Amino acid sequence: MHHPVISGTGVFTPDQTITNAELVKAFNAYADKFNTANADAISAGDVAAIGHSSEEFIVSASGIHQRFVMDKTGVLDPDVMHPMLRERADDEPGIMTEMGVDACRKALAQAGRDAGDVDLVICAASNHERAYPAIAIEIQQALGAGGFAFDMNVACSSATFGIQAAADMVRSGSVKRALVVNPEICSAHLEWRDRDCHFIFGDVATATLIERKEDAQGDHFEILSTRCLTQFSNNIRNNNGFLRRTREETSDLSDRRDMQFMQNGRKVFKEVLPIVSKHILGHIADIGVDQDDLKRLWLHQANKSMNDFIGKKVLGRTPEADEQPNILQDYANTSSAGSIIAFSKYSDDLAPGDTGVICSFGAGYSVGSVVVRRA
Ligand SMILES: CC(C)(COP(=O)(O)OP(=O)(O)OC[C@H]1O[C@@H](n2cnc3c(N)ncnc32)[C@H](O)[C@@H]1OP(=O)(O)O)[C@@H](O)C(=O)NCCC(=O)NCCSC(=O)CC(=O)O
């Protein structure tokens, strides 16, 4: 038995941002165009007019101020309303590989490791740009890592579920050193023409290096315990998939709303909060960690009010700003990567012996918690 630790994390941040002001301007231009083009059907009551979005609503409903994206021109063009990403030839690196490799190199540099020392790469993300070969294997090759690699998808909980898989393999001795990498191009699965959700997502890639405690060369966090939970729900759903063509005979799938991210946000809010609070409290109690011992919560970054609520339940009081750091104001929801960005940016100041929880939650439903202690 070995003790797994997190010895490095890395964040790749795209160089393009979309502020709420830019986003709302483009959305409202799209809505006006749509309403003008459909004026007759709207006045006949056959088509619903699209209402304007507002910066005030976005900030008060979500806490999001801006998001990073891989392409803003397409998203902000009222005639396009989605990112435009150049298709790569089969002998070029894929876009998820490029983002992931950047994050992995940063994680390796922090841990003082070479890619050749790695013998497991898990590419854990909400969407993968192709069915196969696995993105993880392409990343393994691009880095020059050894061992084996595979993709996995648990939507928003992909990173924590990936960390559990990697930590268990390090613990058992089947691998020595693992990279869990989360390239999330959420801008491509978001429906930017839907006012209810157009502000929610952004793009990023994160990577986490997990190795044996006895091998760690610098500062690190011991992984005390991991716990995963799933419970089926249709409240966050995306019907896009490989069977799409088999259904074209009976339906025009070219622009069907359910082939992008859909959610019943209110229900998600109401149902997921108690599941997550109970999950974290049960997890720490079972391993003998008291809520008063928790120095930090690195939560999934979907919604500020949601995090405020969970923080309060888990700590039993209103958390101080530095106890439950949010990054969603700058990055928006980056699916599985959100809690890892928060961990990567807000963990250096913890003292040896300090304990915290990385926790994701989202589609599935899925919840993953990783209890860590600064060595
Ligand atoms: C989606 C929400 C931000 C929505 O906030 P609210 O619930 O306050 O708002 P609502 O949808 O009921 O809308 C309230 C009113 O505002 C209007 N309204 C909606 N959008 C608007 C906009 N952009 N601008 C102005 N007004 C707007 C609505 O029509 C409605 O009007 P009226 O009152 O007239 O009807 C929130 O519910 C939320 O964050 N839920 C949890 C989301 C979450 O965690 N999802 C997981 C994401 S999946 C994930 O993280 C990834 C994964 O799992 O992979």
Side-chain angles (χ1 to χ4, degrees):
M1 280 275 281
H2 303 274
H3 292 292
V5 303
I6 295 176
S7 52
T9 52
V11 180
F12 162 80
T13 304
D15 58 13
Q16 302 181 41
T17 54
I18 299 179
T19 62
N20 286 348
E22 291 174 298
L23 182 74
V24 166
K25 187 169 167 234
F27 180 88
N28 290 348
Y30 160 76
D32 291 344
K33 277 187 98 157
F34 177 92
N35 293 341
T36 305
N38 293 282
D40 290 345
I42 290 170
S43 49
D46 296 334
V47 170
I50 301 179
H52 274 190
S53 185
S54 88
E55 291 175 58
E56 297 71 33
F57 176 85
I58 295 171
V59 172
S60 71
S62 69
I64 296 165
H65 291 262
Q66 64 159 43
R67 66 284 298 139
F68 292 91
V69 289
M70 296 302 286
D71 169 58
K72 68 186 282 187
T73 14
V75 170
L76 295 182
D77 181 341
D79 293 321
V80 180
M81 299 295 280
H82 56 75
M84 302 285 287
L85 300 171
R86 182 180 68 81
E87 189 172 354
R88 309 291 173 92
D90 289 356
D91 58 1
E92 285 182 274
I95 188 164
M96 287 180 70
T97 293
E98 276 181 0
M99 297 165 72
V101 162
D102 182 275
C104 288
R105 291 213 169 107
K106 288 171 179 156
L108 288 165
Q110 190 186 353
R113 285 286 166 204
D114 290 328
D117 300 333
V118 171
D119 55 358
L120 168 65
V121 177
I122 301 177
C123 178
S126 292
N127 295 279
H128 293 91
E129 69 181 276
R130 61 169 179 265
Y132 45 80
I135 313 296
I137 302 177
E138 193 183 344
I139 293 173
Q140 174 198 23
Q141 185 205 40
L143 286 171
F148 64 102
F150 61 89
D151 290 349
M152 61 184 274
N153 177 358
V154 200
C156 276
S157 289
S158 299
T160 51
F161 278 50
I163 289 172
Q164 159 148 319
D168 283 351
M169 284 190 249
V170 169
R171 190 178 287 111
S172 73
S174 62
V175 305
K176 276 191 174 165
R177 200 164 286 111
L179 275 166
V180 178
V181 48
N182 325 104
E184 294 284 9
I185 311 180
C186 299
S187 63
H189 83 157
L190 176 58
E191 180 48 85
W192 297 88
R193 295 170 298 181
D194 182 343
R195 183 177 80 146
D196 290 347
C197 66
H198 76 118
F199 52 89
I200 287 182
F201 286 112
D203 301 336
V204 80
T206 49
T208 305
L209 185 74
I210 295 150
E211 57 185 329
R212 300 169 173 188
K213 184 167 175 53
E214 64 264 35
D215 292 341
Q217 293 178 335
D219 284 342
H220 57 271
F221 282 81
E222 288 173 39
I223 299 178
L224 299 187
S225 175
T226 58
R227 183 170 292 182
C228 298
L229 173 91
T230 52
Q231 182 182 306
F232 188 71
S233 167
N234 274 323
N235 286 325
I236 311 170
R237 191 166 170 121
N238 183 337
N239 281 332
N240 198 12
F242 83 107
L243 293 179
R244 191 169 175 152
R245 193 178 62 163
T246 66
R247 289 152 188 167
E248 271 168 5
E249 294 283 304
T250 50
S251 167
D252 174 16
L253 301 186
S254 59
D255 196 22
R256 217 167 78 179
R257 177 66 188 90
D258 67 331
M259 298 290 166
Q260 300 292 320
F261 163 86
M262 293 187 301
Q263 76 163 351
N264 189 336
R266 287 257 160 139
K267 278 201 174 154
V268 173
F269 207 105
K270 211 166 138 237
E271 292 175 5
V272 169
L273 288 179
I275 300 174
V276 175
S277 314
K278 193 172 157 222
H279 177 89
I280 298 176
L281 287 169
H283 187 184
I284 59 169
D286 287 352
I287 60 167
V289 171
D290 193 79
Q291 66 182 165
D292 295 337
D293 298 335
L294 293 178
K295 289 285 183 293
R296 194 145 301 169
L297 300 174
W298 299 277
L299 298 178
H300 177 53
Q301 300 287 315
N303 183 291
K304 182 175 183 304
S305 330
M306 236 169 154
N307 285 3
D308 289 346
F309 182 97
I310 293 167
K312 205 168 168 180
K313 277 268 176 221
V314 171
L315 297 187
R317 58 182 168 77
T318 303
E320 302 294 329
D322 65 341
E323 289 178 308
Q324 184 218 288
N326 283 332
I327 54 85
L328 59 85
Q329 61 281 6
D330 298 321
Y331 281 85
N333 183 344
T334 50
S335 200
S336 72
S339 56
I340 306 300
I341 306 173
F343 176 77
S344 183
K345 290 190 186 293
Y346 297 101
S347 51
D348 278 0
D349 59 313
L350 291 187
D354 283 352
T355 304
V357 183
I358 302 170
C359 183
S360 68
F361 41 89
Y365 297 130
S366 58
V367 188
S369 49
V370 181
V371 184
V372 294
R373 180 167 292 158
R374 179 95 193 220

